[in-house]
Amino acid sequence: MDIKFVEREVLKEKPKSNFGFGKYYTDYMFMLDYTEGKGFHDGRIVPFGDITINPSMMVLHYAQETFEGLKAYRTKDNEILLFRPEMNAKRMMKSNKRMCMPQIPVEDFVQAVNDLVNIERDWVPSEEDTSLYIRPFMYADEFGVGVRPSKTYKFMIILSPVGNYYPEGVNPVKIYVEDEYVRATEGGTGFAKCGGNYAGSLAAQVKAEKLGYTQVLWLDGTHRKYIEEVGTMNVMFLIDNEIYTAPIDGTVLPGVTRDSIIHILKDWGYKVNEVHLDINELMKAAKEGRLQEGFGTGTAAVISPIGELNYKGEIITLNDFKTGELTQKLYDTLTGIQWGKIEDKYNWTHVVK
Ligand SMILES: *Cc1c(COP(=O)(O)O)cnc(C)c1O
């Protein structure tokens, strides 16, 4: 893919610390157009800035939009690493297929991410636990309010230096088990990383926050009892020394972090049960002292230990509200590979050049 570079005259001042999450954006962004009959065209890296939007642009009305999220990490030798970027590329193809959107080839996706990050490598922060968050997204930009797939799209990538997702660091969070709202149902868009899924999830998030909880635990849309995900993360539980997590069969987002953690756990000899776990079974295991640890997995927060669960007013505490031993070891191992601190025997890292 040919990528044109449009240089900006004045570079921004880079923040030194307190990055937050999505507060700052870099000097450049990537753009690629798609036109039916012509395919993808006009790949370019241009100064980061506003885009003009016609009020009838389809994405604004019917939410034909998908996105991805990954990070670039700086090693102590000042190499810049990506973590399994082809997994994000493949997932975006699947999301786009579901949303009747064109599928950007895996190698073009990875090239676009690599080339933009390479130009912006000075923006990858070096402090402990910081990284450059990469947000690729695609949206329907045809004009018109008729309901049908758009004939034109834009694929873009923006970059933001970030600190820890939770300012307080890796600490257990309180989770509210949502039994009124649902995130996904069979045949729906649960497996696709699309903006619409998030719009629909906000009401539950707001409700949980009002009650003093950080995130919600989603139950399945049909029976309202099988555990699916936690907020924007996949979720795993350690019960009787075995791991339980929801299978990837349509309603759960296939997380790159989830997949990586499962690889590591199996390598360590853990039995990983990818099954529909009934919330009542989980509550029972907790009461019988068999529920040892629980944690969410996702690119943004990496691993987020669960300290408390509230299901229909019944509250259980996990591991005395402390980060579990296995949870911590997984966090250290995965972030160790991502920041190039420990050997990457899985060949997951991609050196940006
Ligand atoms: C992105 C996302 C995840 C985590 O996926 P990663 O690839 O591990 O970042 C989990 N659940 C939902 C709903 C998501 O959107």
Side-chain angles (χ1 to χ4, degrees):
M1 176 177 53
D2 278 337
I3 301 178
K4 197 174 99 186
F5 179 49
V6 181
E7 208 166 342
R8 60 188 293 157
E9 281 167 23
V10 186
L11 295 182
K12 298 181 192 176
E13 201 176 316
K14 295 180 183 62
K16 299 269 179 302
S17 56
N18 293 328
F19 301 114
F21 203 91
K23 198 158 67 162
Y24 302 101
Y25 292 90
T26 67
D27 289 303
Y28 294 98
M29 60 187 185
F30 177 82
M31 295 182 89
L32 177 67
D33 294 307
Y34 177 89
T35 309
E36 200 176 275
K38 190 171 170 188
F40 287 99
H41 59 94
D42 290 306
R44 56 206 184 271
I45 291 172
V46 297
F48 182 95
D50 294 348
I51 46 176
T52 51
I53 290 186
N54 181 290
S56 75
M57 190 180 278
M58 283 182 163
V59 66
L60 294 180
H61 302 274
Y62 310 119
Q64 208 191 359
E65 187 266 358
T66 57
F67 66 97
E68 272 302 324
L70 65 162
K71 286 172 170 173
Y73 311 83
R74 183 179 292 281
T75 71
K76 62 177 187 328
D77 306 322
N78 279 319
E79 265 192 327
I80 306 299
L81 303 178
L82 301 174
F83 185 73
R84 310 184 77 185
E86 65 294 333
M87 291 279 285
N88 297 91
K90 286 180 195 153
R91 185 169 66 193
M92 191 170 215
M93 288 182 84
K94 289 187 187 140
S95 301
N96 287 9
K97 187 165 179 234
R98 178 65 179 80
M99 307 304 286
C100 298
M101 295 165 66
Q103 297 172 45
I104 176 165
V106 170
E107 57 278 14
D108 289 351
F109 178 103
V110 175
Q111 185 198 347
V113 170
N114 177 87
D115 290 11
L116 181 64
V117 171
N118 198 23
I119 282 179
E120 298 286 54
R121 53 195 307 132
D122 290 349
W123 278 90
V124 184
S126 53
E127 290 77 18
E128 185 85 358
D129 287 334
T130 61
S131 55
L132 185 69
Y133 187 74
I134 305 166
R135 167 53 57 87
F137 59 105
M138 196 186 291
Y139 61 92
D141 71 345
E142 193 185 337
F143 305 156
V145 290
V147 180
R148 58 167 173 79
S150 174
K151 292 190 170 69
T152 62
Y153 297 87
K154 270 199 174 56
F155 172 75
M156 295 183 61
I157 307 172
I158 54 174
L159 307 173
S160 172
V162 295
N164 248 335
Y165 190 70
Y166 296 114
E168 62 275 23
V170 186
N171 277 311
V173 290
K174 290 166 71 178
I175 302 290
Y176 184 80
V177 183
E178 177 55 55
D179 63 346
E180 177 193 358
Y181 299 113
V182 297
R183 193 190 84 91
T185 48
E186 282 165 43
T189 57
F191 67 89
K193 218 167 169 74
C194 60
N197 284 348
Y198 278 75
S201 76
L202 294 175
Q205 173 73 21
V206 169
K207 174 179 153 191
E209 277 168 14
K210 269 201 194 121
L211 294 166
Y213 289 82
T214 309
Q215 294 264 351
V216 299
L217 186 146
W218 296 107
L219 300 177
D220 77 287
T222 309
H223 311 91
R224 309 272 172 103
K225 70 175 185 188
Y226 297 111
I227 293 168
E228 301 231 302
E229 302 195 48
V230 164
T232 61
M233 291 179 282
N234 296 109
V235 68
M236 300 190 188
F237 293 99
L238 180 67
I239 305 170
D240 293 330
N241 293 317
E242 290 184 15
I243 295 287
Y244 289 82
T245 191
I248 299 301
D249 59 7
T251 53
V252 164
L253 203 287
V256 177
T257 318
R258 174 191 182 278
D259 184 82
S260 309
I261 291 290
I262 289 177
H263 263 90
I264 294 170
L265 283 166
K266 285 186 175 165
D267 233 17
W268 290 349
Y270 280 91
K271 178 153 188 247
V272 180
N273 303 283
E274 295 183 59
V275 293
H276 297 284
L277 179 66
D278 188 329
I279 180 71
N280 298 296
E281 289 295 320
L282 184 78
M283 298 300 281
K284 186 161 166 271
K287 278 180 258 174
E288 294 171 356
R290 295 186 292 115
L291 172 58
Q292 297 154 286
E293 300 182 27
F295 54 88
T297 69
T299 298
V302 192
I303 302 255
S304 190
I306 299 172
E308 178 184 313
L309 281 173
N310 178 335
Y311 177 51
K312 294 186 190 289
E314 194 177 341
I315 291 169
I316 54 171
T317 305
L318 285 83
N319 196 43
D320 298 324
F321 214 89
K322 290 197 293 277
T323 301
E325 202 182 311
L326 179 64
T327 307
Q328 186 67 50
K329 199 171 145 202
L330 284 167
Y331 179 86
D332 294 341
T333 304
L334 191 60
T335 56
I337 295 171
Q338 290 170 332
W339 269 276
K341 290 182 210 162
I342 59 177
E343 190 207 338
D344 170 23
K345 64 172 178 175
Y346 306 102
N347 215 0
W348 280 337
T349 49
H350 164 114
V351 180
V352 171
K353 49 181 188 262

